[in-house]
Amino acid sequence: MQDYRDFIDEVLVNEDAIQKRVAELGAQISRDYAGEELLIVCLLRGGITFSADLTRYLTISHTLDCMSLSSYGVGHYASSGNVRVNLDLMTNIEGLNVLLVEDIVDSGRTLAHVLQMLSTREPKSLKVCVLLDKKYRREVPVEVDYVGFDVPDKYVFGYGIDIDEHYRYLRFIASADLNKYRKEP
Ligand code: IMP
Ligand code: MG
């Protein structure tokens, strides 16, 4: 696999800044759900790293479940809104406080779809926490309750976010110069 240093554009958020912000979000969520039971729903796979850190900053009682969605008919840098459920929740969410944890909201299509789908299951509440928000790319309105960082309109990777399934392990978030990136054959 190509070394990310060959195509990195710039580090957008370093490890310390990520941890500081995730700790703040954990504290805020803990305050907002004080006295309530909470189900964290990690959206696979981009949400794994963020969820793992975020839940360790929660000071309230909570459980964890995962869901995997994919949009199809897309390239690197767009979402078609044709969202497929690859793996559904194991938990029956009726009457539960549900917080979706996602890596990035871009067009908003993925989240809009999953919110619509989960709301029909009648949870007590349904909110969204995203690590990164590409505000200016929104095509459908979605209400995001907690945001880690706003990021510019660039392809980003690291801290759970991939390029062709690689580089998720990086402890920082960077933008890529896709002209320099070579996909493995
Ligand atoms: P949306 O449906 O357009 O909001 O797309 C959101 C999904 O697209 C995220 O869950 C990511 O998986 C993916 N995505 C959007 N922007 C990026 C990026 O810059 N890097 C990696 N994945 C991205
Ligand atoms: Mg995703």
Side-chain angles (χ1 to χ4, degrees):
M1 204 61 201
Q2 191 180 4
D3 191 317
Y4 71 85
R5 293 174 194 86
D6 294 345
F7 58 78
I8 191 169
D9 174 35
E10 59 176 326
V11 173
L12 297 173
V13 196
N14 69 30
E15 182 178 2
D16 287 351
I18 293 172
Q19 290 302 321
K20 184 168 172 278
R21 184 70 188 121
V22 178
E24 284 171 5
L25 288 171
Q28 189 185 344
I29 291 165
S30 300
R31 281 195 299 275
D32 292 353
Y33 290 91
E36 300 274 332
E37 193 63 38
L38 178 62
L39 175 69
I40 297 286
V41 171
C42 168
L43 295 181
L44 300 175
R45 285 168 269 184
I48 291 177
T49 310
F50 180 35
S51 300
D53 281 346
L54 182 67
T55 54
R56 288 179 293 175
Y57 287 114
L58 294 179
T59 54
I60 52 167
S61 173
H62 64 278
T63 53
L64 178 72
D65 203 346
C66 299
M67 225 177 153
S68 170
L69 307 163
S70 53
S71 7
Y72 51 95
V74 294
H76 246 141
Y77 202 9
S79 179
S80 63
N82 298 319
V83 179
R84 178 172 49 214
V85 178
N86 301 317
L87 176 76
D88 206 338
L89 295 172
M90 289 196 281
T91 312
N92 174 3
I93 62 168
E94 188 179 342
L96 296 184
N97 294 305
V98 175
L99 180 63
L100 292 178
V101 177
E102 167 72 316
D103 54 356
I104 305 177
V105 54
D106 185 11
S107 72
R109 293 184 192 283
T110 307
L111 276 176
H113 187 272
V114 66
L115 283 169
Q116 201 281 327
M117 184 179 124
L118 294 185
S119 63
T120 65
R121 302 182 189 178
E122 300 181 357
K124 180 175 179 185
S125 67
L126 181 57
K127 290 192 175 183
V128 177
C129 176
V130 298
L131 179 66
L132 305 179
D133 190 351
K134 290 184 176 177
K135 275 205 181 97
Y136 304 106
R137 289 183 44 93
R138 204 74 89 251
E139 289 168 22
V140 295
V142 327
E143 201 183 319
V144 180
D145 303 278
Y146 304 95
V147 177
F149 302 94
D150 289 331
V151 284
D153 183 7
K154 291 177 171 179
Y155 196 87
V156 301
F157 65 104
Y159 195 67
I161 302 162
D162 71 302
I163 302 183
D164 293 329
E165 294 305 325
H166 288 268
Y167 316 108
R168 294 189 196 271
Y169 64 90
L170 295 169
R171 292 173 182 269
F172 54 83
I173 297 159
S175 54
D177 180 347
L178 293 180
N179 294 316
K180 295 181 183 163
Y181 170 71
R182 291 186 309 277
K183 191 175 163 73
E184 295 275 294

